Short mmCIF file of all heavy atoms in Angstrom, two decimals:
data_model
loop_
_atom_site.label_atom_id
_atom_site.label_comp_id
_atom_site.label_asym_id
_atom_site.label_seq_id
_atom_site.Cartn_x
_atom_site.Cartn_y
_atom_site.Cartn_z
N LEU Q 140 17.81 27.73 -20.09
CA LEU Q 140 18.88 28.67 -20.30
C LEU Q 140 18.62 30.07 -19.68
O LEU Q 140 17.54 30.62 -19.90
CB LEU Q 140 19.13 28.88 -21.79
CG LEU Q 140 20.22 29.85 -22.26
CD1 LEU Q 140 21.58 29.34 -21.70
CD2 LEU Q 140 20.20 29.88 -23.77
N ASP Q 141 19.54 30.55 -18.91
CA ASP Q 141 19.40 31.93 -18.39
C ASP Q 141 19.87 32.93 -19.53
O ASP Q 141 21.00 33.06 -19.80
CB ASP Q 141 20.28 32.14 -17.16
CG ASP Q 141 20.28 33.53 -16.60
OD1 ASP Q 141 19.77 34.44 -17.29
OD2 ASP Q 141 20.77 33.70 -15.48
N LYS Q 142 18.93 33.56 -20.14
CA LYS Q 142 19.18 34.45 -21.35
C LYS Q 142 20.01 35.66 -20.97
O LYS Q 142 20.53 36.34 -21.87
CB LYS Q 142 17.90 34.85 -22.04
CG LYS Q 142 17.32 33.75 -22.84
CD LYS Q 142 18.12 33.42 -23.95
CE LYS Q 142 17.38 32.73 -25.07
NZ LYS Q 142 18.11 32.44 -26.27
N ASN Q 143 20.18 36.03 -19.69
CA ASN Q 143 21.06 37.02 -19.28
C ASN Q 143 22.54 36.64 -19.31
O ASN Q 143 23.40 37.48 -19.41
CB ASN Q 143 20.73 37.64 -17.81
CG ASN Q 143 19.36 38.26 -17.81
OD1 ASN Q 143 19.04 39.01 -18.72
ND2 ASN Q 143 18.63 37.94 -16.83
N GLU Q 144 22.78 35.34 -19.28
CA GLU Q 144 24.09 34.76 -19.23
C GLU Q 144 24.57 34.32 -20.63
O GLU Q 144 25.72 34.49 -21.05
CB GLU Q 144 24.23 33.62 -18.28
CG GLU Q 144 24.04 34.08 -16.83
CD GLU Q 144 25.13 34.90 -16.31
OE1 GLU Q 144 26.29 34.80 -16.69
OE2 GLU Q 144 24.80 35.86 -15.46
N ALA Q 145 23.64 33.72 -21.39
CA ALA Q 145 23.99 33.09 -22.64
C ALA Q 145 23.02 33.23 -23.66
O ALA Q 145 21.78 33.30 -23.36
CB ALA Q 145 24.33 31.56 -22.41
N ASP Q 146 23.45 33.39 -24.93
CA ASP Q 146 22.50 33.37 -26.05
C ASP Q 146 22.04 32.03 -26.56
O ASP Q 146 21.04 31.85 -27.25
CB ASP Q 146 23.05 34.22 -27.20
CG ASP Q 146 23.21 35.68 -26.87
OD1 ASP Q 146 22.46 36.24 -25.96
OD2 ASP Q 146 24.08 36.35 -27.50
N GLU Q 147 22.94 31.06 -26.22
CA GLU Q 147 22.78 29.72 -26.88
C GLU Q 147 23.52 28.71 -26.04
O GLU Q 147 24.55 29.05 -25.50
CB GLU Q 147 23.27 29.83 -28.31
CG GLU Q 147 23.30 28.55 -29.06
CD GLU Q 147 23.99 28.67 -30.46
OE1 GLU Q 147 24.32 29.84 -30.88
OE2 GLU Q 147 24.16 27.64 -31.06
N ILE Q 148 22.98 27.47 -26.05
CA ILE Q 148 23.77 26.41 -25.58
C ILE Q 148 23.67 25.26 -26.56
O ILE Q 148 22.73 25.13 -27.26
CB ILE Q 148 23.28 25.82 -24.16
CG1 ILE Q 148 21.79 25.49 -24.26
CG2 ILE Q 148 23.61 26.84 -23.06
CD1 ILE Q 148 21.33 24.82 -22.88
N ARG Q 149 24.74 24.42 -26.59
CA ARG Q 149 24.74 23.26 -27.50
C ARG Q 149 25.79 22.26 -27.08
O ARG Q 149 26.77 22.66 -26.55
CB ARG Q 149 24.80 23.62 -28.90
CG ARG Q 149 26.12 23.89 -29.48
CD ARG Q 149 26.14 24.08 -31.01
NE ARG Q 149 26.47 22.83 -31.66
CZ ARG Q 149 27.57 22.79 -32.52
NH1 ARG Q 149 28.19 23.89 -32.82
NH2 ARG Q 149 27.88 21.69 -33.03
N PHE Q 150 25.56 21.00 -27.40
CA PHE Q 150 26.47 19.94 -27.13
C PHE Q 150 27.42 19.90 -28.37
O PHE Q 150 27.10 19.97 -29.54
CB PHE Q 150 25.82 18.59 -27.05
CG PHE Q 150 25.26 18.38 -25.64
CD1 PHE Q 150 23.89 18.43 -25.33
CD2 PHE Q 150 26.07 18.08 -24.57
CE1 PHE Q 150 23.38 18.19 -24.11
CE2 PHE Q 150 25.63 17.79 -23.28
CZ PHE Q 150 24.23 17.94 -23.03
N PHE Q 151 28.76 19.67 -28.07
CA PHE Q 151 29.75 19.51 -29.07
C PHE Q 151 30.38 18.04 -28.80
O PHE Q 151 30.69 17.79 -27.69
CB PHE Q 151 30.86 20.50 -28.98
CG PHE Q 151 30.48 21.89 -29.32
CD1 PHE Q 151 29.86 22.73 -28.41
CD2 PHE Q 151 30.79 22.35 -30.54
CE1 PHE Q 151 29.52 24.01 -28.74
CE2 PHE Q 151 30.45 23.77 -30.89
CZ PHE Q 151 29.80 24.54 -30.02
N SER Q 152 30.67 17.37 -29.91
CA SER Q 152 31.39 16.14 -29.74
C SER Q 152 32.85 16.44 -29.45
O SER Q 152 33.29 17.54 -29.80
CB SER Q 152 31.30 15.20 -30.97
OG SER Q 152 32.03 15.85 -32.02
N MET Q 153 33.58 15.54 -28.89
CA MET Q 153 35.03 15.78 -28.61
C MET Q 153 35.75 15.99 -29.93
O MET Q 153 36.58 16.93 -29.96
CB MET Q 153 35.63 14.56 -27.87
CG MET Q 153 35.00 14.23 -26.62
SD MET Q 153 35.55 15.28 -25.32
CE MET Q 153 34.91 14.42 -23.86
N GLU Q 154 35.45 15.32 -30.99
CA GLU Q 154 36.09 15.47 -32.21
C GLU Q 154 35.81 16.87 -32.80
O GLU Q 154 36.68 17.52 -33.34
CB GLU Q 154 35.63 14.42 -33.22
CG GLU Q 154 36.01 12.99 -32.80
CD GLU Q 154 35.10 12.35 -31.80
OE1 GLU Q 154 33.96 12.83 -31.64
OE2 GLU Q 154 35.51 11.47 -31.14
N GLU Q 155 34.59 17.29 -32.78
CA GLU Q 155 34.17 18.61 -33.25
C GLU Q 155 34.88 19.65 -32.52
O GLU Q 155 35.41 20.62 -33.01
CB GLU Q 155 32.68 18.72 -33.14
CG GLU Q 155 32.16 20.07 -33.67
CD GLU Q 155 30.59 20.16 -33.52
OE1 GLU Q 155 29.99 19.44 -32.70
OE2 GLU Q 155 30.05 21.05 -34.20
N LEU Q 156 34.92 19.56 -31.13
CA LEU Q 156 35.66 20.60 -30.36
C LEU Q 156 37.14 20.60 -30.66
O LEU Q 156 37.71 21.71 -30.77
CB LEU Q 156 35.49 20.32 -28.84
CG LEU Q 156 34.29 20.92 -28.17
CD1 LEU Q 156 34.24 20.48 -26.73
CD2 LEU Q 156 34.33 22.44 -28.28
N SER Q 157 37.76 19.46 -30.85
CA SER Q 157 39.16 19.39 -31.17
C SER Q 157 39.43 20.11 -32.50
O SER Q 157 40.35 20.93 -32.59
CB SER Q 157 39.58 17.89 -31.32
OG SER Q 157 40.98 17.83 -31.58
N THR Q 158 38.56 19.88 -33.49
CA THR Q 158 38.77 20.54 -34.80
C THR Q 158 38.58 22.02 -34.76
O THR Q 158 39.41 22.85 -35.20
CB THR Q 158 37.81 19.99 -35.81
OG1 THR Q 158 38.03 18.49 -35.96
CG2 THR Q 158 37.93 20.59 -37.21
N ILE Q 159 37.46 22.46 -34.11
CA ILE Q 159 37.20 23.90 -34.07
C ILE Q 159 38.12 24.73 -33.18
O ILE Q 159 38.56 25.82 -33.52
CB ILE Q 159 35.70 24.20 -33.55
CG1 ILE Q 159 34.75 23.54 -34.51
CG2 ILE Q 159 35.39 25.66 -33.48
CD1 ILE Q 159 33.26 23.55 -33.98
N THR Q 160 38.54 24.16 -31.99
CA THR Q 160 39.45 24.90 -31.18
C THR Q 160 40.85 25.01 -31.84
O THR Q 160 41.48 26.11 -31.61
CB THR Q 160 39.65 24.18 -29.85
OG1 THR Q 160 40.06 22.85 -29.99
CG2 THR Q 160 38.31 24.20 -28.99
N LYS Q 161 41.20 24.07 -32.69
CA LYS Q 161 42.47 24.29 -33.45
C LYS Q 161 42.35 25.27 -34.63
O LYS Q 161 43.28 26.04 -34.76
CB LYS Q 161 42.92 22.94 -33.97
CG LYS Q 161 43.53 22.02 -32.84
CD LYS Q 161 43.92 20.71 -33.37
CE LYS Q 161 44.45 19.71 -32.34
NZ LYS Q 161 43.47 19.25 -31.47
#
Side-chain angles (χ1 to χ4, degrees):
L140 180 62
D141 179 347
K142 286 294 203 174
N143 293 317
E144 295 293 328
D146 291 336
E147 172 185 354
I148 55 173
R149 81 170 259 238
F150 279 106
F151 291 83
S152 71
M153 301 281 192
E154 296 78 23
E155 183 180 17
L156 269 178
S157 180
T158 300
I159 299 171
T160 56
K161 285 180 181 71

